[in-house]
Amino acid sequence: MGAEKATKKRRRGSAGAVPQTANVDNDMLPYLSSVPAETALQGIIDDKSRWKQTADGGYFYGDLARTFVAMGDPRSQPTADQQAATFNKILELDDSAAQTFLYVMARDLARAADAPKSRLHVNELLEFKGYKRHAKGDFFPQTKRDEQRRLVQLSDIWVAVNDEIQVQAGTRLKAKKIKLISRLVELEIEAEPNDAPSNAPVPMAFLSASTVPYAFRVSLGGWAKPYRAVSTFMQAVLATIGQYDATRETQRYAMRLMLAIMFMHLPRDGNGAQPSWRVGELLDKARIELPKHHADRFRQYVEDALDRLQRDGLVIHWQYEGADESALPGKRWLQKWLEWDLSIAVPGAHMLAAATAVDRPSLQFSEINSSLEVGLPL
């Protein structure tokens, strides 16, 4: 009964419904195959028990020998009180913080390499996320404070990556391996005259003062240099999933599934082969926890999330490969379903640009001295 209940809306059996994918070529994903963004996003949305502690008491997520993120400067040696405060910050990270990071990333990748930091007001983020304004036209103060806190949290995260530089060695250049340590998000505060004494610098403690700044200038840290070459369709992907409502299971799953797909190393088959995973493998990569109860509802959320990605043009088509619904037992069928193969056709850059441009308004990015419009769908 559970299997029947879960699949009453499914329509994957008709081969005639599968769109043509022959044009999928080397423009395919991975969009963000470089490790830093993957590690940062997984650290934000993953079970917080997967964060580990160093011998010095700092908290990190990832691989210390390669790429990891840390809450706070990883070179510091925090006291016991600081360690407790740091872990509380980690516990506050959630899907909404991930969406804030995706939006900042899209904004920063839209600007020219030599342009100043992007100016960002929390109202812009809240508008983008679809929060409702109150009767007087502004957002509720607590809602604004929560979003401001997310930006500060992202700035408290540091990224450590392996890099290589060229140094002078006599008459020639020699490669030297280094560890590049930078903030996940570089954050500058815009303090208005009534926020601080005149002719006085604004201390960092101002962030926790009763008067909260809502305007910032933001950019990604030095870890993001490899991402500068992404095209506008990458910005469209980030902006689309960044606007999903993280309080609704279907959209929250859709965001996490798309992040997993973005970070998977997909095949670049000239014949247009579709990448395939086990259902359980994809859910694990998406950091979607398996349910203890209501497995039928859980499967419906997952499949509805994939449908949402297809409607939004982020995947062309998805289907189970060689799956037999009738072979699922009436009870305790979840494990069998997790072993099914799932095929997902992913669009190339030109196909995604066309799909996300249909009946979607552009997102205006307000810069400090100018206005820059990029084709980011809402």
Side-chain angles (χ1 to χ4, degrees), residues 32 83 126 156 160 171 203 207 213 230-231 246 294 318 334 352:
L32 297 178
Q83 292 175 35
L126 296 174
D156 285 340
T171 59
L207 287 175
V230 301
S231 57
H294 305 297
W318 71 271
L334 180 64
L352 182 63

Side-chain angles (χ1 to χ4, degrees), residues 58-268:
Y59 286 94
F60 74 95
Y61 181 95
D63 184 351
L64 286 177
R66 297 185 178 181
T67 300
F68 68 92
V69 294
M71 182 60 77
D73 189 336
R75 300 164 298 175
S76 64
Q77 297 183 0
T79 65
D81 289 343
Q82 290 171 334
Q83 292 175 35
T86 296
F87 192 67
N88 286 335
K89 290 181 180 180
I90 294 172
L91 292 176
E92 292 177 349
L93 297 174
D94 57 11
D95 290 77
S96 191
Q99 289 179 307
T100 300
F101 172 55
L102 290 172
Y103 185 83
V104 170
M105 191 168 185
R107 284 289 307 267
D108 195 55
L109 295 179
R111 69 183 178 91
D114 57 348
K117 288 182 171 66
S118 302
R119 187 178 186 276
L120 179 63
H121 194 282
V122 294
N123 282 9
E124 182 182 335
L125 273 162
L126 296 174
E127 187 78 46
F128 178 73
K129 291 183 176 183
Y131 282 84
K132 301 298 182 184
R133 295 176 181 266
H134 56 59
K136 294 184 178 180
D138 198 1
F139 294 100
F140 291 100
Q142 186 59 51
T143 304
K144 296 171 71 170
R145 285 194 290 268
D146 289 344
E147 193 61 37
Q148 183 263 5
R149 176 176 49 80
R150 293 186 189 104
L151 279 170
V152 175
Q153 285 176 331
L154 294 176
S155 181
D156 285 340
I157 296 176
W158 291 67
V159 183
V161 299
N162 291 334
D163 201 356
E164 187 175 280
I165 61 174
Q166 298 292 320
V167 296
Q168 195 72 36
T171 59
R172 61 187 182 88
L173 292 176
K174 179 181 178 181
K176 182 179 181 180
K177 296 185 181 300
I178 63 166
K179 180 75 79 174
L180 177 65
I181 302 173
S182 60
R183 290 185 185 271
L184 180 66
V185 173
E186 298 284 352
L187 197 64
E188 296 176 357
I189 306 164
E190 290 190 3
E192 297 182 7
N194 60 345
D195 292 337
S198 59
N199 301 321
V202 181
M204 286 303 294
F206 176 68
L207 287 175
S208 59
S210 57
T211 302
V212 181
Y214 293 132
F216 301 89
R217 299 180 188 185
V218 299
S219 68
L220 301 175
W223 61 269
K225 185 177 180 180
Y227 298 95
R228 296 293 176 197
V230 301
S231 57
T232 53
F233 92 99
M234 175 66 234
Q235 301 158 12
V237 175
L238 293 175
T240 300
I241 63 176
Q243 201 186 30
Y244 287 157
D245 186 349
T247 65
R248 298 177 181 271
E249 290 295 271
T250 295
Q251 295 185 51
R252 186 167 69 89
Y253 286 2
M255 183 187 78
R256 291 192 173 204
L257 287 168
M258 193 61 205
L259 289 175
I261 294 169
M262 289 162 71
F263 295 131
M264 292 269 194
H265 291 274
L266 305 188
R268 295 172 179 262

